[in-house]
Amino acid sequence: MTAPQRPVRRRVVLSERRGARRVRTRVEVAEQTEFGEALIGGLIRAQLGLALRVGLVSIALLCALPVLLRTGSIGSMTVLGIRLPWLLLGGAVYPLLFLLGRTYVHLAERNEQDFLELAED
């Protein structure tokens, strides 16, 4: 009797390669060649700059709110029996922080997409 034949192994490829440059750039990034280090360094600088800008904006807005409430006539106003500073500090700060966080994530993803496009070119 003969032994059952094994099926021939086939390689499954999920996407077609578009060129050798794309593979070479990824290899340069993975092996941390001089070009790969420059690409990664640019991404790190872009992400750091973005984080610092968003952080400074959030600190400026959060620090300006108590100063505005203390110096202006807003500090003595009441809405529905609750003083306006409490409403602003307890309610308006969280949507502001949420919007800042969403903006940061969107811009960080855009930086990463730009990096990937640059690496593929």
Side-chain angles (χ1 to χ4, degrees), residues 15-34:
S15 65
E16 296 295 323
R17 288 176 39 182
R18 287 186 254 174
R21 177 67 181 152
R22 180 174 158 196
V23 174
R24 194 175 86 199
T25 303
R26 287 186 180 177
V27 168
E28 287 177 357
V29 170
E31 292 179 355
Q32 295 183 353
T33 62
E34 192 172 318

Side-chain angles (χ1 to χ4, degrees), residues 39-53 104 107-108 110-112 114-115:
L39 284 174
I40 292 175
L43 176 64
I44 290 171
R45 281 190 298 278
Q47 296 289 49
L48 177 63
L50 175 63
L52 290 175
R53 286 192 306 269
Y104 173 76
L107 294 174
R110 194 179 76 188
N111 283 344
E112 291 174 3
D114 291 344
F115 170 75

Side-chain angles (χ1 to χ4, degrees), residues 34-99:
E34 192 172 318
F35 179 68
E37 286 181 10
L39 284 174
I40 292 175
L43 176 64
I44 290 171
R45 281 190 298 278
Q47 296 289 49
L48 177 63
L50 175 63
L52 290 175
R53 286 192 306 269
V54 171
L56 288 175
V57 166
S58 64
I59 287 173
L61 290 173
L62 291 176
C63 289
L65 190 59
V67 172
L68 175 70
L69 295 175
R70 182 77 172 151
T71 59
S73 63
I74 297 174
S76 62
M77 297 175 102
T78 59
V79 176
L80 300 172
I82 302 172
R83 292 186 60 201
L84 187 61
W86 283 105
L87 288 175
L88 290 176
L89 290 173
V93 170
Y94 296 108
L96 173 72
L97 291 175
F98 178 77
L99 289 174

